[in-house]
Coordinates of all heavy atoms in Angstrom, one line a residue:
M1 N 5.9 6.0 1.3 CA 6.0 4.6 0.9 C 4.5 4.0 1.0 O 3.8 4.2 1.9 CB 6.9 3.8 1.9 CG 7.0 2.3 1.6 SD 7.8 1.6 0.3 CE 8.3 2.7 -0.8
S2 N 4.2 3.3 0.1 CA 2.8 2.8 -0.1 C 2.6 1.7 0.9 O 3.4 1.0 1.4 CB 2.6 2.2 -1.5 OG 3.3 1.0 -1.7
S3 N 1.3 1.6 1.3 CA 0.9 0.6 2.3 C 1.1 -0.8 1.7 O 1.2 -1.8 2.3 CB -0.5 0.8 2.8 OG -1.4 0.7 1.6
C4 N 1.1 -0.9 0.3 CA 1.2 -2.1 -0.4 C 2.6 -2.7 0.0 O 2.7 -3.9 0.2 CB 1.1 -1.9 -1.9 SG 1.4 -3.3 -2.8
F5 N 3.6 -1.9 -0.1 CA 5.0 -2.4 0.3 C 5.0 -2.9 1.8 O 5.5 -4.0 2.1 CB 6.0 -1.4 0.0 CG 7.5 -1.9 0.3 CD1 8.2 -2.6 -0.6 CD2 8.1 -1.6 1.6 CE1 9.4 -3.1 -0.3 CE2 9.3 -2.1 1.9 CZ 10.0 -2.8 0.9
Y6 N 4.4 -2.1 2.6 CA 4.3 -2.5 4.1 C 3.6 -3.8 4.2 O 4.2 -4.7 4.9 CB 3.6 -1.4 4.8 CG 3.6 -1.6 6.3 CD1 4.6 -1.2 7.1 CD2 2.6 -2.4 6.9 CE1 4.7 -1.5 8.5 CE2 2.6 -2.7 8.3 CZ 3.6 -2.3 9.1 OH 3.6 -2.4 10.4
E7 N 2.5 -4.0 3.5 CA 1.8 -5.3 3.6 C 2.5 -6.5 3.1 O 2.6 -7.5 3.8 CB 0.5 -5.1 2.8 CG -0.5 -4.2 3.5 CD -1.8 -3.8 2.7 OE1 -1.9 -4.5 1.6 OE2 -2.5 -2.9 3.1
K8 N 3.3 -6.2 2.0 CA 4.1 -7.3 1.4 C 5.4 -7.6 2.5 O 5.7 -8.8 2.6 CB 4.8 -6.8 0.1 CG 3.8 -6.9 -1.0 CD 4.4 -6.5 -2.4 CE 3.4 -6.4 -3.4 NZ 4.0 -6.1 -4.7
A9 N 6.0 -6.5 3.0 CA 7.0 -6.8 4.0 C 6.5 -7.6 5.2 O 7.1 -8.5 5.7 CB 7.6 -5.4 4.4
A10 N 5.2 -7.1 5.7 CA 4.7 -7.8 6.9 C 4.4 -9.2 6.6 O 4.6 -10.1 7.5 CB 3.5 -7.0 7.3
K11 N 3.9 -9.6 5.4 CA 3.6 -11.0 5.0 C 4.9 -11.8 5.0 O 5.0 -12.9 5.5 CB 2.9 -11.0 3.6 CG 2.5 -12.4 3.3 CD 1.7 -12.4 2.0 CE 1.3 -13.7 1.6 NZ 0.5 -13.7 0.3
L12 N 6.0 -11.3 4.4 CA 7.3 -11.9 4.4 C 7.8 -12.2 5.8 O 8.3 -13.1 6.1 CB 8.3 -11.1 3.5 CG 9.7 -11.6 3.5 CD1 9.8 -13.0 2.8 CD2 10.6 -10.6 2.8
I13 N 7.7 -11.1 6.7 CA 8.2 -11.1 8.0 C 7.5 -12.2 8.8 O 8.0 -13.0 9.6 CB 8.1 -9.7 8.7 CG1 9.1 -8.8 8.1 CG2 8.2 -9.8 10.2 CD1 8.8 -7.4 8.4
S14 N 6.2 -12.3 8.6 CA 5.3 -13.3 9.4 C 5.8 -14.7 9.1 O 5.5 -15.5 10.0 CB 3.9 -13.2 9.0 OG 3.6 -13.6 7.7
K15 N 6.5 -14.9 8.0 CA 7.0 -16.4 7.7 C 8.3 -16.7 8.5 O 8.7 -17.8 8.3 CB 7.1 -16.5 6.3 CG 5.7 -16.4 5.5 CD 6.0 -16.5 4.0 CE 4.6 -16.3 3.3 NZ 4.8 -16.5 1.8
Q16 N 8.9 -15.7 9.0 CA 10.3 -15.9 9.6 C 10.1 -16.2 11.2 O 9.1 -15.7 11.8 CB 11.1 -14.7 9.4 CG 11.3 -14.3 8.0 CD 11.8 -15.5 7.1 OE1 12.7 -16.2 7.5 NE2 11.3 -15.6 5.9
S17 N 11.1 -16.7 11.7 CA 11.1 -16.9 13.2 C 11.4 -15.5 13.9 O 11.9 -14.6 13.3 CB 12.2 -17.8 13.6 OG 13.5 -17.2 13.5
E18 N 10.9 -15.5 15.2 CA 11.1 -14.2 15.9 C 12.6 -13.9 16.0 O 13.0 -12.7 15.9 CB 10.4 -14.4 17.3 CG 10.3 -13.1 18.1 CD 9.5 -13.4 19.3 OE1 10.1 -13.9 20.3 OE2 8.3 -13.1 19.4
E19 N 13.4 -14.8 16.3 CA 14.8 -14.6 16.4 C 15.4 -14.1 15.1 O 16.2 -13.1 15.2 CB 15.6 -16.0 16.7 CG 17.1 -15.8 16.8 CD 17.8 -17.1 17.3 OE1 17.1 -18.2 17.2 OE2 18.9 -17.0 17.5
F20 N 15.0 -14.6 14.0 CA 15.4 -14.1 12.8 C 15.1 -12.6 12.5 O 15.9 -11.8 12.1 CB 14.9 -14.9 11.5 CG 15.3 -14.3 10.2 CD1 16.5 -14.7 9.6 CD2 14.4 -13.4 9.5 CE1 16.8 -14.2 8.3 CE2 14.8 -12.9 8.3 CZ 16.0 -13.3 7.7
N21 N 13.8 -12.3 13.0 CA 13.3 -10.9 12.7 C 14.0 -9.9 13.7 O 14.3 -8.8 13.3 CB 11.7 -10.8 13.0 CG 11.1 -11.5 11.9 OD1 11.6 -11.6 10.8 ND2 9.8 -11.9 12.2
Y22 N 14.4 -10.4 14.9 CA 15.3 -9.5 15.8 C 16.6 -9.3 15.1 O 17.1 -8.2 15.1 CB 15.5 -10.2 17.1 CG 14.4 -10.0 18.2 CD1 13.6 -11.1 18.5 CD2 14.2 -8.8 18.8 CE1 12.7 -10.9 19.5 CE2 13.3 -8.6 19.8 CZ 12.5 -9.6 20.1 OH 11.5 -9.5 21.1
Q23 N 17.2 -10.3 14.6 CA 18.5 -10.2 14.0 C 18.4 -9.3 12.8 O 19.3 -8.5 12.5 CB 19.1 -11.5 13.6 CG 19.5 -12.4 14.8 CD 19.8 -13.8 14.4 OE1 19.4 -14.3 13.3 NE2 20.4 -14.6 15.3
M24 N 17.4 -9.5 11.9 CA 17.2 -8.6 10.7 C 17.1 -7.1 11.1 O 17.7 -6.3 10.5 CB 16.1 -9.1 9.9 CG 16.0 -8.5 8.6 SD 17.4 -9.1 7.6 CE 17.4 -7.7 6.4
L25 N 16.2 -6.8 12.1 CA 16.1 -5.5 12.6 C 17.3 -4.9 13.1 O 17.6 -3.7 12.8 CB 15.0 -5.4 13.7 CG 14.5 -4.1 14.1 CD1 14.1 -3.1 13.0 CD2 13.5 -4.2 15.2
N26 N 18.2 -5.7 13.8 CA 19.4 -5.2 14.3 C 20.4 -4.9 13.1 O 21.1 -3.9 13.0 CB 20.0 -6.2 15.2 CG 21.3 -5.7 15.9 OD1 21.4 -4.5 16.3 ND2 22.2 -6.5 16.0
I27 N 20.4 -5.8 12.1 CA 21.2 -5.6 10.9 C 20.8 -4.3 10.2 O 21.6 -3.4 9.8 CB 21.1 -6.7 9.9 CG1 21.9 -7.9 10.6 CG2 21.7 -6.3 8.5 CD1 21.6 -9.2 9.9
M28 N 19.5 -4.1 10.1 CA 18.9 -2.9 9.4 C 19.3 -1.6 10.2 O 19.5 -0.6 9.6 CB 17.5 -3.0 9.2 CG 17.2 -4.2 8.1 SD 15.4 -4.4 7.7 CE 15.3 -3.2 6.4
K29 N 19.3 -1.7 11.5 CA 19.6 -0.6 12.4 C 21.2 -0.2 12.1 O 21.4 1.0 12.0 CB 19.4 -0.8 13.9 CG 19.8 0.2 14.8 CD 19.7 -0.2 16.2 CE 20.0 0.8 17.2 NZ 21.5 1.3 17.1
S30 N 21.9 -1.2 12.1 CA 23.3 -1.0 11.8 C 23.6 -0.4 10.4 O 24.5 0.4 10.3 CB 24.2 -2.4 11.9 OG 24.0 -2.9 13.2
D31 N 22.8 -0.8 9.5 CA 22.9 -0.3 8.1 C 22.6 1.3 8.2 O 23.2 2.1 7.6 CB 21.9 -0.9 7.1 CG 22.3 -2.3 6.8 OD1 23.4 -2.7 7.1 OD2 21.4 -3.1 6.2
C32 N 21.5 1.6 9.0 CA 21.2 3.1 9.1 C 22.4 3.9 9.8 O 22.7 4.9 9.3 CB 19.9 3.2 10.0 SG 18.4 2.6 9.2
D33 N 22.9 3.2 10.9 CA 24.1 3.8 11.5 C 25.2 4.1 10.5 O 25.9 5.2 10.5 CB 24.5 3.0 12.7 CG 23.5 3.1 13.8 OD1 22.7 4.0 14.0 OD2 23.5 2.1 14.6
Y34 N 25.6 3.1 9.7 CA 26.6 3.2 8.7 C 26.3 4.2 7.7 O 27.2 5.1 7.4 CB 26.8 1.9 8.0 CG 27.9 1.9 7.0 CD1 29.2 1.8 7.4 CD2 27.6 2.1 5.7 CE1 30.2 1.9 6.4 CE2 28.5 2.1 4.7 CZ 29.9 2.1 5.0 OH 30.8 2.2 4.1
Y35 N 25.1 4.2 7.2 CA 24.6 5.1 6.2 C 24.9 6.7 6.7 O 25.3 7.4 6.0 CB 23.1 4.9 5.9 CG 22.6 5.8 4.8 CD1 22.7 5.5 3.4 CD2 22.0 7.0 5.1 CE1 22.1 6.2 2.5 CE2 21.4 7.7 4.1 CZ 21.5 7.4 2.8 OH 20.9 8.3 1.9
L36 N 24.4 6.8 7.9 CA 24.5 8.1 8.5 C 25.9 8.6 8.9 O 26.3 9.7 8.7 CB 23.5 8.3 9.7 CG 22.2 8.2 9.4 CD1 21.3 8.1 10.7 CD2 21.6 9.5 8.7
A37 N 26.8 7.6 9.4 CA 28.1 7.9 9.8 C 28.9 8.2 8.6 O 29.9 9.0 8.7 CB 28.7 6.7 10.6
S38 N 28.7 7.6 7.5 CA 29.6 7.8 6.3 C 29.0 9.0 5.5 O 29.6 9.2 4.4 CB 29.6 6.5 5.5 OG 28.3 6.2 5.0
N39 N 28.0 9.7 5.9 CA 27.4 10.7 5.1 C 27.1 10.3 3.8 O 27.3 11.0 2.7 CB 28.2 12.0 5.1 CG 28.3 12.6 6.5 OD1 27.3 12.6 7.2 ND2 29.5 13.1 6.9
S40 N 26.7 9.0 3.6 CA 26.5 8.4 2.2 C 25.2 8.7 1.6 O 24.3 8.9 2.3 CB 26.6 6.9 2.5 OG 26.3 6.3 1.2
E41 N 25.3 9.1 0.3 CA 24.0 9.2 -0.4 C 23.8 7.9 -1.2 O 22.8 7.9 -1.9 CB 24.3 10.4 -1.4 CG 24.6 11.6 -0.7 CD 23.5 12.6 -0.7 OE1 22.5 12.4 -1.5 OE2 23.5 13.6 0.1
C42 N 24.7 7.0 -1.1 CA 24.6 5.7 -1.7 C 23.6 4.7 -1.0 O 24.0 4.4 0.3 CB 25.9 5.1 -1.9 SG 25.8 3.5 -2.8
E43 N 22.5 4.3 -1.5 CA 21.7 3.5 -0.7 C 22.0 2.0 -0.8 O 21.3 1.1 -0.3 CB 20.3 3.7 -1.3 CG 19.7 5.1 -1.0 CD 18.4 5.4 -1.6 OE1 18.0 4.8 -2.6 OE2 17.7 6.2 -1.0
I44 N 23.1 1.7 -1.4 CA 23.5 0.2 -1.6 C 23.7 -0.4 -0.3 O 23.6 -1.6 -0.1 CB 24.7 0.1 -2.5 CG1 24.9 -1.4 -3.0 CG2 26.0 0.6 -1.9 CD1 25.8 -1.6 -4.1
C45 N 24.2 0.3 0.8 CA 24.3 -0.2 2.1 C 23.1 -0.6 2.8 O 23.1 -1.0 3.9 CB 25.3 0.7 2.9 SG 24.5 2.3 3.3
L46 N 22.0 -0.3 2.3 CA 20.6 -0.5 2.9 C 20.0 -1.7 2.3 O 18.8 -1.7 1.9 CB 19.8 0.8 2.6 CG 20.3 2.1 3.2 CD1 19.3 3.3 2.8 CD2 20.5 2.0 4.7
C47 N 20.6 -2.8 2.4 CA 20.0 -4.2 1.9 C 19.5 -4.1 0.6 O 18.5 -4.9 0.3 CB 19.1 -4.6 2.9 SG 19.6 -4.9 4.7
G48 N 19.9 -3.2 -0.2 CA 19.4 -3.1 -1.6 C 18.1 -2.3 -1.7 O 17.5 -2.2 -2.8
F49 N 17.6 -1.8 -0.6 CA 16.4 -1.0 -0.6 C 16.8 0.5 -0.8 O 17.8 0.9 -0.5 CB 15.6 -1.1 0.8 CG 15.2 -2.6 1.1 CD1 15.7 -3.2 2.1 CD2 14.3 -3.2 0.3 CE1 15.3 -4.4 2.5 CE2 13.8 -4.5 0.6 CZ 14.4 -5.1 1.7
T50 N 15.7 1.2 -1.1 CA 15.8 2.7 -1.0 C 15.6 3.0 0.5 O 15.2 2.2 1.3 CB 14.6 3.4 -1.8 OG1 13.4 3.0 -1.1 CG2 14.7 3.0 -3.2
V51 N 15.9 4.3 0.9 CA 15.7 4.7 2.2 C 14.3 4.5 2.7 O 14.0 3.9 3.7 CB 16.2 6.2 2.4 CG1 15.7 6.7 3.8 CG2 17.6 6.4 2.3
S52 N 13.3 4.8 1.9 CA 11.9 4.7 2.2 C 11.6 3.3 2.4 O 10.8 2.9 3.3 CB 11.1 5.4 1.0 OG 9.8 5.2 1.3
E53 N 12.0 2.3 1.5 CA 11.7 1.0 1.7 C 12.4 0.3 2.9 O 11.8 -0.5 3.6 CB 12.1 0.2 0.4 CG 11.3 0.5 -0.8 CD 11.8 -0.1 -2.1 OE1 13.0 -0.4 -2.2 OE2 11.0 -0.3 -3.0
H54 N 13.6 0.8 3.2 CA 14.4 0.3 4.3 C 13.7 0.7 5.6 O 13.5 -0.2 6.4 CB 15.8 0.9 4.2 CG 16.8 0.3 5.2 ND1 17.5 -0.8 5.0 CD2 17.1 0.7 6.6 CE1 18.3 -1.1 5.9 NE2 18.0 -0.2 7.0
I55 N 13.2 1.9 5.7 CA 12.5 2.3 6.9 C 11.1 1.6 7.0 O 10.7 1.1 8.1 CB 12.3 3.8 6.9 CG1 13.7 4.6 6.9 CG2 11.5 4.3 8.0 CD1 14.5 4.3 8.2
T56 N 10.4 1.5 5.9 CA 9.1 0.8 5.9 C 9.3 -0.7 6.4 O 8.5 -1.2 7.2 CB 8.5 0.8 4.6 OG1 8.3 2.2 4.2 CG2 7.2 0.1 4.6
F57 N 10.4 -1.3 5.9 CA 10.7 -2.8 6.4 C 11.0 -2.8 7.8 O 10.6 -3.7 8.5 CB 11.7 -3.3 5.5 CG 11.7 -4.8 5.4 CD1 11.0 -5.4 4.5 CD2 12.4 -5.6 6.3 CE1 11.0 -6.8 4.3 CE2 12.4 -6.9 6.3 CZ 11.7 -7.6 5.3
M58 N 11.8 -1.7 8.3 CA 12.2 -1.7 9.7 C 10.8 -1.6 10.6 O 10.7 -2.2 11.6 CB 13.0 -0.6 10.0 CG 14.6 -0.8 9.6 SD 15.6 0.5 9.9 CE 15.9 0.3 11.7
K59 N 10.0 -0.7 10.2 CA 8.7 -0.5 10.9 C 7.9 -1.8 10.9 O 7.3 -2.2 12.0 CB 7.9 0.7 10.3 CG 8.5 1.9 10.5 CD 7.7 3.1 9.9 CE 8.3 4.5 10.0 NZ 7.6 5.5 9.4
A60 N 7.8 -2.5 9.8 CA 7.0 -3.7 9.7 C 7.7 -4.8 10.7 O 7.0 -5.5 11.4 CB 7.0 -4.3 8.3
L61 N 9.0 -4.9 10.6 CA 9.8 -5.8 11.5 C 9.4 -5.4 13.0 O 9.0 -6.3 13.8 CB 11.3 -5.7 11.4 CG 11.8 -6.5 10.2 CD1 13.3 -6.1 9.9 CD2 11.8 -8.0 10.5
Y62 N 9.5 -4.2 13.4 CA 9.3 -3.8 14.8 C 7.9 -4.0 15.1 O 7.6 -4.5 16.3 CB 9.6 -2.2 14.9 CG 9.4 -1.7 16.3 CD1 10.5 -1.9 17.2 CD2 8.1 -1.2 16.8 CE1 10.3 -1.4 18.5 CE2 8.0 -0.7 18.0 CZ 9.1 -0.8 19.0 OH 9.0 -0.4 20.2
N63 N 6.9 -3.7 14.2 CA 5.5 -4.0 14.6 C 5.2 -5.5 14.6 O 4.0 -5.8 15.1 CB 4.6 -3.2 13.6 CG 4.7 -1.7 13.8 OD1 4.9 -1.3 14.9 ND2 4.5 -1.0 12.7
S64 N 6.0 -6.3 14.1 CA 5.7 -7.7 14.1 C 5.8 -8.4 15.5 O 5.3 -9.4 15.7 CB 6.6 -8.5 13.1 OG 8.0 -8.6 13.6
F65 N 6.6 -7.7 16.4 CA 6.7 -8.2 17.8 C 5.6 -7.9 18.7 O 5.1 -6.7 18.6 CB 8.0 -7.7 18.4 CG 9.2 -8.0 17.6 CD1 9.9 -7.0 16.9 CD2 9.7 -9.3 17.4 CE1 11.1 -7.4 16.1 CE2 10.8 -9.6 16.7 CZ 11.5 -8.6 16.0
P66 N 5.0 -8.7 19.5 CA 4.0 -8.3 20.5 C 4.6 -7.4 21.4 O 5.9 -7.2 21.6 CB 3.7 -9.6 21.3 CG 4.7 -10.7 20.7 CD 5.5 -10.1 19.6
D67 N 3.8 -6.5 22.1 CA 4.2 -5.4 23.0 C 5.2 -5.9 24.0 O 6.2 -5.3 24.3 CB 3.0 -4.8 23.6 CG 2.2 -3.9 22.7 OD1 2.8 -3.6 21.6 OD2 1.1 -3.6 23.0
D68 N 5.0 -7.1 24.6 CA 5.9 -7.6 25.6 C 7.2 -8.2 25.1 O 8.1 -8.5 25.9 CB 5.2 -8.7 26.5 CG 4.7 -9.9 25.8 OD1 4.6 -9.8 24.5 OD2 4.7 -10.9 26.3
K69 N 7.4 -8.2 23.8 CA 8.6 -8.6 23.2 C 9.3 -7.6 22.3 O 10.3 -8.0 21.5 CB 8.3 -9.9 22.4 CG 8.0 -11.1 23.3 CD 7.9 -12.4 22.7 CE 7.6 -13.5 23.5 NZ 7.5 -14.9 22.8
K70 N 8.8 -6.4 22.4 CA 9.5 -5.4 21.5 C 11.0 -5.2 21.9 O 11.3 -5.3 23.2 CB 8.8 -4.0 21.7 CG 7.3 -4.0 21.2 CD 7.2 -3.6 19.9 CE 5.7 -3.3 19.5 NZ 5.3 -4.1 18.4
P71 N 11.9 -5.1 21.0 CA 13.2 -4.8 21.3 C 13.4 -3.6 22.2 O 12.7 -2.6 22.0 CB 14.0 -4.6 20.0 CG 13.0 -4.9 18.9 CD 11.6 -4.9 19.6
E72 N 14.3 -3.7 23.2 CA 14.6 -2.5 24.1 C 15.6 -1.6 23.5 O 15.7 -0.4 24.0 CB 15.0 -3.0 25.4 CG 13.9 -3.8 26.3 CD 14.4 -4.3 27.6 OE1 15.5 -4.0 28.0 OE2 13.7 -5.1 28.2
W73 N 16.3 -2.0 22.5 CA 17.4 -1.3 22.0 C 17.0 -0.4 20.8 O 17.9 0.3 20.2 CB 18.5 -2.2 21.6 CG 18.1 -3.5 20.9 CD1 17.8 -4.7 21.4 CD2 17.8 -3.7 19.5 NE1 17.3 -5.7 20.6 CE2 17.4 -5.0 19.2 CE3 17.8 -2.8 18.3 CZ2 17.0 -5.6 18.1 CZ3 17.4 -3.4 17.1 CH2 17.0 -4.7 17.0
I74 N 15.7 -0.5 20.3 CA 15.2 0.5 19.4 C 13.7 0.6 19.6 O 13.1 -0.3 20.1 CB 15.5 -0.1 18.0 CG1 15.3 1.0 16.9 CG2 14.7 -1.3 17.7 CD1 15.8 0.7 15.5
S75 N 13.2 1.7 19.3 CA 11.8 2.1 19.3 C 11.2 2.6 18.0 O 12.0 2.8 17.2 CB 11.5 3.2 20.5 OG 12.0 4.4 20.0
L76 N 10.0 2.6 17.9 CA 9.4 3.1 16.7 C 9.8 4.6 16.5 O 10.0 5.1 15.4 CB 7.9 3.0 16.7 CG 7.3 3.3 15.4 CD1 7.7 2.5 14.2 CD2 5.7 3.2 15.6
E77 N 9.9 5.3 17.6 CA 10.3 6.7 17.5 C 11.8 6.8 16.9 O 12.1 7.6 16.1 CB 10.3 7.4 18.9 CG 10.8 8.8 18.9 CD 10.6 9.5 20.2 OE1 10.1 8.8 21.2 OE2 10.9 10.7 20.3
D78 N 12.6 5.8 17.4 CA 14.1 5.8 16.9 C 14.0 5.6 15.4 O 14.8 6.2 14.6 CB 14.9 4.7 17.5 CG 15.1 4.9 19.0 OD1 15.2 6.1 19.5 OD2 15.1 3.9 19.8
I79 N 13.2 4.6 14.9 CA 13.1 4.3 13.5 C 12.6 5.6 12.8 O 13.2 5.9 11.7 CB 12.2 3.2 13.2 CG1 12.8 1.9 13.9 CG2 11.9 3.0 11.7 CD1 11.8 0.6 14.0
N80 N 11.7 6.3 13.3 CA 11.2 7.6 12.6 C 12.3 8.6 12.7 O 12.4 9.3 11.7 CB 9.9 8.1 13.4 CG 8.7 7.3 13.1 OD1 8.6 6.6 12.1 ND2 7.8 7.2 14.1
N81 N 13.1 8.6 13.7 CA 14.3 9.6 13.7 C 15.3 9.1 12.6 O 15.9 10.0 12.0 CB 14.9 9.5 15.1 CG 14.1 10.3 16.1 OD1 13.1 11.1 15.7 ND2 14.3 10.1 17.3

Side-chain angles (χ1 to χ4, degrees):
M1 174 72 357
S2 73
S3 63
C4 180
F5 182 83
Y6 184 90
E7 290 169 13
K8 287 179 182 179
K11 185 175 181 178
L12 177 66
I13 290 164
S14 71
K15 296 178 181 180
Q16 305 303 320
S17 71
E18 192 173 83
E19 181 180 7
F20 177 87
N21 289 338
Y22 276 110
Q23 292 171 345
M24 191 66 203
L25 184 57
N26 190 42
I27 289 167
M28 295 182 87
K29 178 186 180 301
S30 295
D31 289 348
C32 291
D33 291 334
Y34 177 81
Y35 182 91
L36 293 170
S38 66
N39 293 321
S40 177
E41 301 256 339
C42 179
E43 294 177 333
I44 196 165
C45 64
L46 301 177
C47 299
F49 298 116
T50 64
V51 168
S52 179
E53 290 170 337
H54 190 85
I55 295 297
T56 298
F57 203 89
M58 287 180 73
K59 288 177 182 178
L61 278 166
Y62 184 85
N63 289 333
S64 74
F65 302 111
D67 287 341
D68 63 334
K69 293 187 177 182
K70 298 266 189 237
E72 295 179 9
W73 41 267
I74 194 167
S75 68
L76 189 57
E77 183 177 357
D78 294 326
I79 296 169
N80 289 330
N81 286 340

